[in-house]
Amino acid sequence: MLCLFIYDLEGQKLNVSTDRANMKFDQHPKINDTTYSPSDDEGIPPGSPQRPAYAEAFADIVERRFASRRSFLKRTAAVAAAAPLFSVAPSLFVSRANASPTLQTTLTFSPISPSTADELIVPEGYRSQLLIGWGESLIQGVPNLDTNDLGILLTHEGVRRQEHQFGYNCDFTAFFPFPTSSMRTSIRGLLAVNHEFTTSALMFPGWPGDKNPSRAQFVQDHPPVVGLGKAAHGVSIVEIRQSNGTWTFVKGSPFNRRVTGSTPVLITGPAAGHALLRTASDPQGRQVLGTLNNCAGGKTPWGTLLTCEENFDQYFGNYESFVARAETRGGDSMKKYAAFHRRIPLSKGLSRCAWELVDERFDADKHPTEAFRFGWVVEVDPYDPGAQPKKRTALGRFKHECATTVVAPRGNVVVYSGDDTRFEYVYKFVTDSIYDPTDRRANRDLLDSGTLYVAKFNDDGSGEWLPLVYGQNGLDKAHGFENQAEVLINARAAGDRLGATPMDRPEDIAINPTNGKIYIAFTNNTQRTGTQSTAQGRDVSADIDAANPRRQNNTGHIIEIIEAGNDPTATTFQWEIFMLCGDPKAGRLLASLDDAEVGNHDTYFAGFTDINAISPISAPDNLAFDQHGNLWIATDGKKETSLGFNNGLYAVPTQGSDRGHLRQFLSGPRGSEVCGPEFTPDFQTLFACIQHPGEGGSLRKPISDWPDRDGRAPRPSVVVVYKNGGKSKGSRHN
């Protein structure tokens, strides 16, 4: 998803004290008259006493830059209310009245063909470059991972290094420009990257397999793999810059930071301190170690990262033993724990990674409340390395895929999120208080108070946002909810009670900057069989409906919605299907969905019907918009849902005569998922993550050696793509 920021275009001065952080002034870009060069003091590790001075000084710069926008925002307030995303690009400030209904495409690249090659492919005239990958050290004094010596990962030294190295399986990316009065915001800034999970078969020599019972013995023989796994999760924040057409990350920058599965994280909002969040090690229920399975995310208007915890359930084992104990001899508390776990069930026996054998907090039988402390949206300030991350419980607990933010006309901040599981729901959160664009600190806890809603898609194309509020619509003691905290902790069950619409894996959500329409990706649902089904701890209809019109939905779809009055705080909306993904030549290419019975292989591309011009696509996942309102779609198809070719990145116009004309822009290497597309503010650079290259293989039987080649283990990595006027079809190194 794409969420950009308005910066002051008037060039107002900042009088920053240069002595305060011992900053040097040489060849680096200036923040007005003051040059700030964090890379001049390379080698300052996280937590060192020197770092707070940098953080404090730069926090003031950020604060003043936001404050300096006051007059600019006053002049553009009316337009900004209509355009839900913020950008330095004036072309984004286009009212709906000025959008031409006959707009021709602004996509000028020549689409590539689907591929099964073990390489990254982009169109002619574009260049791809590796920016940073798993195991690269963020600080001086810690070496990069040598993929010829993965045995280091089985040692405590490997754990120590991974805590300061770029994490594994990168997913969401967010670019945070350094605040400056010039248009140089697109060549230097901070890149925040999620690390969703670890692929043990491609990391640990001798790993027996995620489903092999002997993995228990492997973990017991090599206990450091648990610490290594936790250290490879979470978030990496790195300073990056462009020079002479090449992007690099700044090793040793004081902004470089890891947030891992062991980092202390505050719990804030209505659920903080609730009994369900208390543990023996945290009897107050207000601080948890780590953030896990960080999938997609978002950026707030005040310049912080929102990172989302998704499939956290896979890290907790022995759930079946706990349930049996709770049902036979447990007291009221244990029975309540079991009831609240029912809608997000944990691993019955041994978990996938078997962490519980070394770190018992992941043993659900011994610590049944620990898992309630995961499944939240976590806010991180990338500009302040000393700021503690915070789990914002007001946004609800489920398998969050994204946290796409927008400022509503009245100033409330709205956060959209999908619950990425078959037959789960779409949510949005509306803050009680108003965003203050002139005082960054005033927004610090804005996400701790507001209303969480869940979506109901009616068959007539209308929709409702149903409030998940304690005491309303059956969310009360009679139905298992004691207070608002419990509604949020058990948000899925609250959605059940209100009659929300079960969807086909709600993934990313993006907002069109030109007209405010909202797009939601639904990756697939191979279990929509037309009968009643048991899914995630409850019985649910697996039949089709208007919003999920295809049985055995292997290839997924995208829905477009318009909030009532184009106001994100509205409680009603209109919706239509924008795209039924797939291969248009494999079934019928539908020109309309009116009264059409959709077959398993039928496709629909917003009414576009040139069958030879449409790129086949499967499993839409992450979404982003460019400044012209073109939707960019990254895919995550597995073997049975990929149409037989590698995942990629696609672009499609959403308006005008070319609406629905989908074209493939990028193809990833074998086994990889392409995710996290993100543009710089000038839209000249595209960042994307290549996650789990080589998945489906192992160190013994590899299917990929991207990007290092020569038979080395594949490395999840962030790539940069930009136009260079030359020919690029991918190579052994890009």
Side-chain angles (χ1 to χ4, degrees):
M1 74 232 39
L2 182 63
C3 186
L4 301 170
F5 302 93
I6 301 173
Y7 286 97
D8 183 19
L9 303 181
E10 298 179 331
Q12 180 174 334
K13 266 192 178 181
L14 296 177
N15 297 314
V16 181
S17 169
T18 58
D19 292 334
R20 184 175 178 185
N22 298 316
M23 299 177 186
K24 297 180 181 180
F25 313 107
D26 44 34
Q27 71 272 21
H28 297 289
K30 289 186 175 183
I31 300 174
N32 290 315
D33 291 340
T34 302
T35 303
Y36 180 55
S37 175
S39 57
D40 284 333
D41 290 273
E42 295 181 354
I44 302 175
S48 294
Q50 295 94 326
R51 292 177 70 85
Y54 285 94
E56 187 180 2
F58 200 71
D60 277 355
I61 293 173
V62 174
E63 165 67 18
R64 295 182 191 182
R65 176 52 57 202
F66 272 77
S68 71
R69 298 184 302 176
R70 183 188 303 269
S71 60
F72 175 69
L73 285 165
K74 284 182 178 179
R75 293 199 308 273
T76 60
V79 182
L85 298 185
F86 303 110
S87 173
V88 298
S91 60
L92 278 185
F93 294 95
V94 179
S95 68
R96 298 183 66 183
N98 292 332
S100 170
T102 59
L103 179 71
Q104 298 299 309
T105 183
T106 54
L107 298 173
T108 58
F109 66 87
S110 298
I112 65 172
S113 299
S115 172
T116 59
D118 188 29
E119 58 184 357
L120 191 142
I121 303 173
V122 296
E124 289 190 8
Y126 291 82
R127 178 186 174 193
S128 62
Q129 175 211 325
L130 190 71
L131 176 62
I132 189 170
W134 170 49
E136 294 191 55
S137 174
L138 307 186
I139 68 172
Q140 302 293 350
V142 171
N144 294 335
L145 175 67
D146 181 357
T147 50
N148 277 330
D149 181 23
L150 293 181
I152 188 70
L153 304 180
L154 308 181
T155 70
H156 292 291
E157 173 61 18
V159 178
R160 185 191 73 82
R161 293 181 184 182
Q162 180 65 82
E163 289 171 345
H164 304 291
Q165 293 169 336
F166 193 75
Y168 202 77
N169 274 342
C170 42
D171 193 293
F172 175 73
T173 62
F175 180 72
F176 294 91
F178 282 154
T180 167
S181 60
S182 73
M183 298 300 285
R184 301 172 69 90
T185 54
S186 293
I187 64 171
R188 189 157 175 252
L190 304 175
L191 192 70
V193 184
N194 281 353
H195 302 293
E196 186 176 359
F197 64 99
T198 51
T199 307
S200 300
L202 296 173
M203 299 173 69
F204 303 130
W207 179 257
D210 291 352
K211 296 181 180 180
N212 191 323
S214 63
R215 69 188 184 280
Q217 189 62 52
F218 183 90
V219 170
Q220 290 169 332
D221 290 342
H222 307 284
V225 301
V226 175
L228 192 290
K230 288 185 287 185
H233 278 71
V235 178
S236 293
I237 297 172
V238 294
E239 181 189 345
I240 61 173
R241 63 176 60 172
Q242 185 193 58
S243 178
N244 298 322
T246 300
W247 282 89
T248 58
F249 79 94
V250 181
K251 184 173 181 176
S253 165
F255 289 105
N256 292 354
R257 178 185 186 189
R258 286 300 321 282
V259 179
T260 73
S262 301
T263 301
V265 181
L266 289 177
I267 302 173
T268 70
H274 189 277
L276 288 170
L277 301 188
R278 299 173 192 164
T279 64
S281 60
D282 177 28
Q284 301 302 314
R286 295 185 178 274
Q287 181 167 276
V288 59
L289 291 180
T291 179
L292 295 172
N293 212 259
N294 301 79
C295 197
K299 295 189 290 189
T300 66
W302 50 94
T304 57
L305 169 71
L306 299 179
T307 176
C308 297
E309 297 180 321
E310 193 192 31
N311 295 313
F312 62 90
D313 53 307
Q314 65 183 305
Y315 304 98
F316 295 88
N318 293 327
Y319 172 64
E320 195 169 53
S321 296
F322 165 71
V323 171
R325 189 162 58 91
E327 291 176 348
T328 57
R329 58 186 185 277
D332 291 342
S333 293
M334 287 185 63
K335 290 178 180 178
K336 185 168 188 173
Y337 300 158
F340 271 61
H341 278 307
R342 190 168 296 126
R343 282 292 276 112
I344 309 182
L346 310 176
S347 303
K348 290 183 178 180
L350 188 67
S351 70
R352 183 178 69 89
C353 296
W355 287 0
E356 67 271 21
L357 300 179
V358 174
D359 186 344
E360 72 169 33
R361 71 186 175 108
F362 294 100
D363 188 327
D365 195 21
K366 295 179 179 178
H367 300 279
T369 60
E370 182 70 26
F372 295 131
R373 294 144 67 85
F374 295 87
W376 305 100
V377 173
V378 185
E379 185 172 9
V380 182
D381 189 345
Y383 295 113
D384 185 354
Q388 191 170 13
K390 298 177 180 179
K391 297 197 178 187
R392 302 296 191 182
T393 64
L395 278 68
R397 176 179 171 268
F398 44 90
K399 294 187 179 183
H400 286 270
E401 170 67 23
C402 68
T404 303
T405 64
V406 56
V407 178
R410 290 186 296 275
N412 307 81
V413 175
V414 180
V415 184
Y416 293 91
S417 195
D419 185 348
D420 182 12
T421 308
R422 298 176 184 92
F423 302 110
E424 290 303 335
Y425 307 134
V426 177
Y427 299 81
K428 79 173 180 182
F429 172 79
V430 180
T431 62
D432 286 337
S433 299
I434 303 303
Y435 164 60
D436 187 345
T438 68
D439 184 357
R440 186 173 189 258
R441 291 188 177 96
N443 306 305
R444 184 170 294 170
D445 296 317
L446 197 60
L447 299 180
D448 279 343
S449 178
T451 302
L452 182 66
Y453 297 87
V454 66
K456 182 179 181 181
F457 293 82
N458 299 317
D459 285 351
D460 63 359
S462 66
E464 305 166 64
W465 290 108
L466 310 172
L468 299 178
V469 177
Y470 176 72
Q472 299 181 15
N473 304 313
L475 302 181
D476 50 31
K477 293 182 180 180
H479 296 99
F481 302 97
E482 296 285 339
N483 46 49
Q484 181 63 22
E486 295 190 0
V487 170
L488 297 170
I489 294 169
N490 207 5
R492 282 184 172 180
D496 298 342
R497 172 60 52 185
L498 268 60
T501 304
M503 304 297 289
D504 288 351
R505 284 187 60 194
E507 291 258 8
D508 209 352
I509 302 174
I511 305 172
N512 192 325
T514 66
N515 56 26
K517 291 183 180 180
I518 298 158
Y519 293 75
I520 309 172
F522 299 92
T523 295
N524 52 50
N525 188 351
T526 56
Q527 297 176 9
R528 193 170 284 278
T529 59
T531 61
Q532 198 75 5
S533 178
T534 299
Q536 296 294 297
R538 96 297 200 188
D539 292 332
V540 64
S541 171
D543 204 355
I544 59 173
D545 53 42
N548 304 277
R550 190 161 54 184
R551 288 194 177 95
Q552 292 292 326
N553 185 13
N554 287 359
T555 51
H557 63 295
I558 297 173
I559 285 180
E560 175 186 77
I561 75 173
I562 303 175
E563 297 274 28
N566 206 28
D567 182 352
T569 67
T571 56
T572 60
F573 58 89
Q574 296 293 316
W575 67 268
E576 64 176 293
I577 291 177
F578 175 72
M579 185 183 297
L580 287 175
C581 300
D583 184 347
K585 296 180 180 179
R588 294 180 301 165
L589 174 58
L590 302 173
S592 170
L593 292 177
D594 295 338
D595 301 320
E597 182 175 340
V598 179
N600 289 1
H601 300 291
D602 293 346
T603 56
Y604 173 73
F605 293 85
F608 190 85
T609 56
D610 186 346
I611 195 169
N612 294 313
I614 299 171
S615 296
I617 182 175
S618 179
D621 189 337
N622 294 152
L623 305 176
F625 271 100
D626 63 28
Q627 77 273 39
H628 298 295
N630 297 308
L631 180 64
W632 292 71
I633 307 164
T635 64
D636 180 22
K638 307 300 182 185
K639 185 175 182 180
E640 70 278 12
T641 60
S642 66
L643 298 178
F645 49 80
N646 297 348
N647 285 301
L649 180 65
Y650 303 75
V652 58
T654 58
Q655 54 192 338
S657 60
D658 214 29
R659 172 178 161 93
H661 181 187
L662 181 81
R663 279 154 276 192
Q664 185 169 0
F665 179 80
L666 179 150
S667 178
R670 290 192 193 117
S672 71
E673 165 191 355
V674 179
C675 46
E678 169 80 320
F679 293 98
T680 50
D682 64 0
F683 294 96
Q684 299 302 304
T685 297
L686 170 70
F687 302 101
C689 286
I690 305 301
Q691 187 180 162
H692 56 71
E695 187 175 73
S698 65
L699 294 176
R700 292 193 193 97
K701 296 181 179 180
I703 64 171
S704 173
D705 61 357
W706 185 91
D708 299 328
R709 304 306 189 184
D710 298 324
R712 292 178 177 234
R715 286 192 301 132
S717 302
V718 179
V719 297
V720 184
V721 182
Y722 44 90
K723 199 167 186 177
N724 68 349
K727 181 179 290 188
S728 175
K729 290 189 66 178
S731 73
R732 290 172 60 85
H733 302 290
N734 63 17

